[in-house]
Amino acid sequence: MIKNYLLITLRSLLKNKLFIFINIFGLSIAIGCCIVAYFNWEYDATFNNNHQKKEHIYRVSSVREFEGKTTLYGYVPVPLGEVVRQNMPDVKNTVRMSWSYSNFKIGDNLFPSGLAYADPDFFDVFSFEFIVGQPADLKDKSKMFLSDEAAIKLYGTTDVLGKPLTQVLGTELKEYVVGGVYKKQPANSSFNDMAYTNYENYFDDDKEVDEHDWKNRNTLFVLIDDNTRVAIVKNQLQAYRENNNKVREDFQIKEYEVEPFEGMPQRDQANDTWSRTKPSSPPAAVVAPTMMAVLILLIACFNMTNTAIAISSRRLKEIGIRKVMGGMRSHLITQFIGETMFICFLALLIGLLLGEVLLSAWNALWEEMKLTSHYIDNPGFLIFLIVVLIFTGLLAGSYPAFYISSFEPVSILKGKAKFGGTSFFTRILLALQYAISLTAIVCAIAFYQNSIFQRDFDLGFDQKGVIISYIDGQGEFETYRNSLKENPSIISIAGSKHSIWSSRYNDPIKFESKQLEVDIIDVGDDYLKTMGLELKEGRDFTKDSESDRKESVIITEKLAQSFGWDKAIGKEIIWLDTNKLYVIGVVKNVYTQGLWRELEPMMIRYTEPKNYSHLIVSTADANLLDVNKFMEKKWKEVFPNR
């Protein structure tokens, strides 16, 4: 019987090649989109699943309440890690983490690095697969651990155990040896740094950080074998809130939170947690592709149903004869649904190939997120494919199968039974097809227009004609600036300690009885002009003015609006509870985090050249690439070790 079903199916397909081609092609595209949507969802849902002890890992975070708003910060005072290690027996392992953006040097070649400092227990708590070396050697301060990708980039091979490696810290050089090479973490892991070294090196590398100073911050993870003891650990931590609150009047901690490592990236993304570890995808980036894939699949299914109805109307005599010869209705239903399932199966095979193509295109869009297909070792994906196959087969084939098989053979053979045409059901299907298609088109147009809107949106500063280099202090700033002055395409050069997007800090300020948290940047001469900030009211800082350094600030329109000021010039602001600052200028609003976050109020302070860490160059948009090449050339001449 199965052989007969297959023969009838093949004969029917060959008679309706065009219809079948359209169905298979459309459905395979829909299935390919569903495959991308599935792996995109899986990427987010399985974040950090590679860490075997994830159920027992927790991050210690700070909870701060300010102006009635409670915010979670994914960091704690630096000394807290040692306090936990010495005083809390329920905690098996503690891991402090900090990060650096120094360079590595191999011979005469320089490589930018993403270096993390971690306590020796790091590789015991988190799962890393080592190619060479021993994870326990992280306790050795002289050793550096590299990802396989970093090892190949630096040395051309992963067989690098014991090889020398130089870290460039400003003007200083620090020597290490390679202690091990590990396989690079999956893209959906919180840890994607190219190198790790012992945490004690952090205090050597950043002389301003004191291991015992509660003002400094780092990330702290703990491993607790008995999860029922977490509440006790959290309660013990609260005794150390005052250690922070005594020295940080501007950052009063309400409580310490012990939050599970599982789900941490999703919480960080949803709650905008201040954290240095990698967050998961934004919810919209997971939901939107899924919704679009489902809509495309429904369009393909409805189209297949309409096609099946049209094809079935040509087979009424076949059905009548089969019924006269004793064919049962259940056999006919099985035949028609089986044919639809066979079409869906062919579309599924082609959809798998298209899915690989679409995955490559998807990965090309995002540098930080790489989706990987894996079928055989993924029971969830196999279940997903089976569900898609059954869903599409039943949705597309059920109506024609059940309806046409209900006709009486006499009425069919006498020509009285009619099937097809514009019935109420087909009208509904067509309406749904058009409605979903129109919805998808509108969404695509909106997405395209939104990309244009974001591209052309005025963020409050010059986005297209500015280049920023990182320097260390006044001496380096003046040396590099002097070497750049010979280029006539450079319009302006400025220095600063912080800069929009690249760095800033956040503190509370007060006006009368109202408090506000603001982003703050410290800048030097000509910063506003070089960055393209538009002064709406008042004046810029006066060059070398000591009074401007001590008590003058420039604010954004958003800050003035938040305090309800119509005229902001001359207003007195209290910063850090004691410092009186006076507004001398108001600039157009600046989006310090692009359009990913809401517009935040910002305050600009004037700083001395000795504090400069940024050199900013402005040029015409058309000259940007040429100026950048010129700056690179001069950089290599002035700073050959960086």
Side-chain angles (χ1 to χ4, degrees):
M1 182 176 286
I2 295 176
K3 179 181 178 181
N4 291 333
Y5 282 155
L6 289 174
L7 289 173
I8 294 171
T9 298
L10 292 173
R11 191 180 301 122
S12 175
L13 295 181
L14 292 174
K15 285 182 179 180
N16 303 279
K17 300 184 192 68
L18 180 61
F19 286 122
I20 300 306
F21 172 78
I22 293 172
N23 281 325
I24 291 177
F25 182 69
L27 191 57
S28 62
I29 293 176
I31 291 174
C33 293
C34 289
I35 288 172
V36 174
Y38 173 85
F39 284 119
N40 183 54
W41 166 83
E42 183 192 55
Y43 173 91
D44 185 76
T46 60
F47 222 95
N48 284 328
N49 271 16
N50 62 301
H51 298 290
Q52 298 173 3
K53 300 179 181 179
K54 57 184 181 296
E55 297 90 350
H56 302 286
I57 303 172
Y58 298 85
R59 182 178 67 185
V60 182
S61 301
S62 305
V63 178
R64 182 188 180 210
E65 191 173 67
F66 182 79
E67 292 291 295
K69 180 182 178 182
T70 301
T71 306
L72 181 73
Y73 295 82
Y75 52 71
V76 293
V78 170
L80 189 63
E82 193 60 32
V83 167
V84 171
R85 181 182 290 113
Q86 294 181 5
N87 299 290
M88 299 183 188
D90 290 314
V91 176
K92 182 180 179 181
N93 302 103
T94 62
V95 176
R96 299 169 296 174
M97 294 193 70
S98 294
W99 286 264
S100 166
Y101 294 106
S102 54
N103 294 329
F104 288 148
K105 185 178 182 183
I106 305 293
D108 295 329
N109 298 317
L110 287 168
F111 302 89
S113 72
L115 172 62
Y117 301 89
D119 279 322
D121 290 340
F122 177 75
F123 290 126
D124 184 49
V125 173
F126 299 101
S127 300
F128 283 71
E129 184 178 348
F130 270 70
I131 299 173
V132 294
Q134 297 297 322
D137 287 343
L138 184 59
K139 64 180 180 292
D140 188 340
K141 288 180 60 177
S142 68
K143 292 187 177 181
M144 184 78 68
F145 294 80
L146 304 175
S147 69
D148 52 353
E149 185 179 88
I152 292 172
K153 180 179 179 181
L154 295 172
Y155 300 97
T157 177
T158 58
D159 186 18
V160 295
L161 194 64
K163 289 194 175 183
L165 178 63
T166 302
Q167 181 187 14
V168 182
L169 293 161
T171 57
E172 298 181 8
L173 301 179
K174 187 171 183 178
E175 300 299 330
Y176 290 92
V177 294
V178 178
V181 177
Y182 57 87
K183 286 188 177 180
K184 185 182 177 183
Q185 288 274 290
N188 58 343
S189 170
S190 291
F191 309 105
N192 292 116
D193 304 286
M194 68 178 288
Y196 293 89
T197 189
N198 187 287
Y199 192 81
E200 294 301 319
N201 288 315
Y202 178 60
F203 304 116
D204 298 335
D205 298 346
D206 191 341
K207 303 296 193 300
E208 295 181 1
V209 177
D210 184 347
E211 184 176 4
H212 307 290
D213 189 349
W214 287 76
K215 290 182 179 180
N216 299 313
R217 297 288 185 265
N218 66 5
T219 300
L220 176 62
F221 291 100
V222 295
L223 181 72
I224 304 175
D225 281 336
D226 186 355
N227 291 346
T228 62
R229 307 291 293 178
V230 172
I232 295 173
V233 172
K234 178 180 176 180
N235 186 58
Q236 292 172 335
L237 285 168
Q238 309 315 316
Y240 302 97
R241 286 177 301 174
E242 285 305 309
N243 296 61
N244 171 88
N245 295 343
K246 286 178 182 178
V247 297
R248 287 293 302 270
E249 294 183 6
D250 61 310
F251 193 91
Q252 297 288 293
I253 293 178
K254 179 183 178 182
E255 66 174 345
Y256 290 114
E257 182 63 64
V258 182
E259 53 171 332
F261 182 65
E262 288 186 293
M264 180 189 74
Q266 289 83 1
R267 293 192 301 274
D268 286 351
Q269 180 62 248
N271 301 323
D272 194 18
T273 304
W274 288 66
S275 173
R276 286 294 304 270
T277 51
K278 184 179 179 180
S280 67
S281 303
V286 179
V287 175
T290 303
M291 291 179 61
M292 290 301 295
V294 171
L295 289 178
I296 295 171
L297 183 63
L298 287 175
I299 293 173
C301 288
F302 293 154
N303 182 68
M304 183 178 287
T305 302
N306 277 325
T307 305
I309 291 172
I311 294 174
S312 298
S313 65
R314 304 177 183 179
R315 302 173 64 182
L316 290 177
K317 288 185 179 180
E318 173 195 333
I319 294 166
I321 293 173
R322 289 178 64 177
K323 281 198 168 188
V324 168
M325 295 179 66
M328 299 178 64
R329 187 187 180 193
S330 60
H331 294 165
L332 292 171
I333 292 173
T334 302
Q335 174 71 46
F336 282 106
I337 292 181
E339 289 179 7
T340 307
M341 287 287 189
F342 184 74
I343 294 171
C344 293
F345 179 72
L346 294 177
L348 186 64
L349 296 178
I350 300 173
L352 288 171
L353 298 176
L354 285 176
E356 290 294 322
V357 176
L358 293 175
L359 275 176
S360 299
W362 179 272
N363 288 336
L365 295 173
W366 324 105
E367 182 179 350
E368 70 283 355
M369 181 176 71
K370 301 300 178 186
L371 304 183
T372 56
S373 59
H374 47 111
Y375 306 132
I376 305 302
D377 63 335
N378 189 350
F381 180 73
L382 296 177
I383 293 172
F384 165 76
L385 289 182
I386 293 171
V387 169
V388 169
L389 179 62
I390 295 174
F391 173 78
T392 53
L394 292 179
L395 183 63
S398 294
Y399 176 75
F402 282 93
Y403 183 55
I404 200 171
S405 63
S406 66
F407 288 177
E408 294 296 329
V410 175
S411 61
I412 292 174
L413 296 175
K414 286 184 176 182
K416 294 181 179 180
K418 301 294 182 183
F419 187 62
T422 55
S423 66
F424 179 72
F425 181 73
T426 57
R427 289 193 187 100
I428 292 177
L429 290 180
L430 285 172
L432 286 173
Q433 271 187 272
Y434 282 121
I436 296 173
S437 300
L438 185 61
T439 300
I441 291 171
V442 170
C443 290
I445 293 173
F447 184 85
Y448 175 70
Q449 290 180 334
N450 182 56
S451 66
I452 295 175
F453 170 80
Q454 293 189 45
R455 182 195 66 190
D456 298 335
F457 189 83
D458 183 6
L459 296 176
F461 62 96
D462 185 2
Q463 305 157 236
K464 301 177 181 178
V466 169
I467 303 171
I468 296 177
S469 293
Y470 294 91
I471 44 86
D472 186 13
Q474 183 176 1
E476 289 193 1
F477 170 78
E478 292 178 350
T479 301
Y480 192 34
R481 180 192 60 186
N482 293 338
S483 71
L484 298 176
K485 281 184 175 180
E486 64 186 69
N487 191 321
S489 298
I490 293 178
I491 299 171
S492 176
I493 301 176
S496 70
K497 183 178 181 180
H498 310 96
S499 190
I500 298 166
W501 272 6
S502 61
S503 66
R504 63 188 179 281
Y505 56 107
N506 189 276
D507 278 333
I509 61 174
K510 184 186 294 185
F511 172 70
E512 296 178 348
S513 61
K514 187 173 182 179
Q515 289 193 84
L516 186 69
E517 271 200 346
V518 298
D519 290 334
I520 306 173
I521 59 175
D522 299 344
V523 307
D525 298 314
D526 297 325
Y527 181 83
L528 270 61
K529 179 180 71 173
T530 306
M531 284 295 296
L533 297 173
E534 182 182 346
L535 196 63
K536 307 290 287 188
E537 183 183 352
R539 65 175 177 86
D540 197 350
F541 298 115
T542 302
K543 185 177 176 61
D544 297 328
S545 171
E546 194 62 30
S547 62
D548 275 359
R549 290 193 184 109
K550 289 182 178 180
E551 58 184 28
S552 297
V553 293
I554 297 172
I555 65 173
T556 58
E557 294 173 303
K558 174 70 173 179
L559 196 155
Q561 180 185 359
S562 299
F563 278 138
W565 295 337
D566 292 328
K567 296 292 182 181
I569 303 302
K571 295 291 186 182
E572 180 184 273
I573 295 173
I574 306 298
W575 173 51
L576 299 179
D577 292 328
T578 57
N579 299 303
K580 292 183 179 180
L581 305 173
Y582 298 92
V583 178
I584 63 167
V586 179
V587 296
K588 187 177 180 179
N589 282 330
V590 177
Y591 287 78
T592 56
Q593 300 182 68
L595 299 179
W596 289 105
R597 300 287 184 264
E598 292 184 14
L599 176 67
E600 296 289 345
M602 187 176 75
M603 184 170 75
I604 304 173
R605 302 190 66 227
Y606 188 43
T607 190
E608 297 178 274
K610 68 179 182 180
N611 297 322
Y612 287 175
S613 61
H614 297 68
L615 181 142
I616 302 102
V617 167
S618 69
T619 184
D621 299 356
N623 299 328
L624 188 70
L625 293 178
D626 291 336
V627 170
N628 189 62
K629 290 179 181 177
F630 172 78
M631 291 179 65
E632 288 179 352
K633 177 183 176 183
K634 289 297 181 181
W635 180 274
K636 291 177 181 177
E637 293 176 4
V638 176
F639 307 117
N641 285 329
R642 297 228 302 279

